[in-house]
Amino acid sequence: MTRIIAGRAGSIALEVPDAGTRPTADRVRESLFGSLESADALRGAAVLDLYAGSGALGLEAVSRGAASADLVEKAPRAAAVVQRNAVKVAKSIGSDAAIRVHRSSVDAYLRASQGAFDLVFLDPPYDVSEAELAGSLELLVRALAPGATVIIERARRSPAPGLPAGLEHARHKRYGDTVLWWVHPHS
């Protein structure tokens, strides 16, 4: 079972789409969000959750103090699950944060985005190629606020994400078969 780990919506159970998604394990999310809180990257942040799946990453951020979360999911069934999860979390936290669900491909959303996001999660399906991911990252650069943090989740067997001009690797951490890559815009 996937759940919100902490914050104002802590312990709320989240639905997970029945196929085509791979939710981030609770222990990985717990470690990730501990690091983000230590870096003061959540309070008041504008969050973008690309390939949202269940919406767990963006919704966890809102539960822990982010000002907004835009959750992008292309698959119709998964987008419906994200919407139901967003409603649950929104009821729990009230009007303190804006949660928006977008049924769109990542690239189409980024091409149209006017946002300046402080924190972005990219957890693409493993079958998304490195070239596709690099193309999405190139589109993402213009949607980032200065000092933004981008977290990319990939399988351990995947190479380091290829970064376009404007982004640089900060660090990475492995959790079993999962690797989280921390990326920032060039200063």
Side-chain angles (χ1 to χ4, degrees):
M1 176 179 76
T2 298
R3 62 186 174 81
I4 299 294
I5 297 167
R8 292 173 295 166
S11 79
I12 288 179
L14 299 176
E15 289 181 55
V16 175
D18 55 0
T21 63
R22 172 191 34 78
T24 303
D26 282 358
R27 70 181 180 83
V28 175
R29 274 191 298 123
E30 195 161 358
S31 177
L32 168 61
F33 280 92
S35 294
L36 290 169
E37 284 182 322
S38 297
D40 197 24
L42 294 171
R43 192 170 4 110
V47 174
L48 178 59
D49 187 353
L50 300 171
Y51 305 98
S54 67
L57 293 171
L59 296 172
E60 184 77 37
V62 166
S63 178
R64 294 181 187 227
S68 65
D70 285 272
L71 310 163
V72 179
E73 177 55 57
K74 180 180 176 180
R77 282 184 169 160
V81 168
V82 173
Q83 184 63 51
R84 289 192 297 272
N85 288 337
V87 167
K88 281 186 206 176
V89 170
K91 281 182 185 172
S92 179
I93 64 171
S95 62
D96 288 348
I99 302 171
R100 295 172 290 271
V101 177
H102 307 274
R103 188 168 159 243
S104 170
S105 74
V106 165
D107 288 359
Y109 177 83
L110 290 172
R111 279 189 198 96
S113 176
Q114 300 299 311
F117 295 99
D118 303 301
L119 178 60
V120 179
F121 299 107
L122 281 101
D123 182 10
Y126 287 158
D127 64 355
V128 168
S129 72
E130 299 308 314
E132 285 177 84
L133 178 58
S136 297
L137 288 168
E138 190 167 330
L139 291 170
L140 175 63
V141 171
R142 68 177 185 79
L144 296 175
T149 299
V150 178
I151 306 294
I152 304 166
E153 182 174 336
R154 296 298 275 161
R156 183 180 66 182
R157 66 186 178 277
S158 298
L163 299 181
L167 291 178
E168 61 189 1
H169 286 284
R171 63 184 170 155
H172 68 278
K173 184 158 184 185
R174 195 172 109 196
Y175 303 86
D177 197 36
T178 299
V179 179
L180 296 182
W181 297 89
W182 293 64
V183 174
H184 298 286
H186 287 291
S187 318

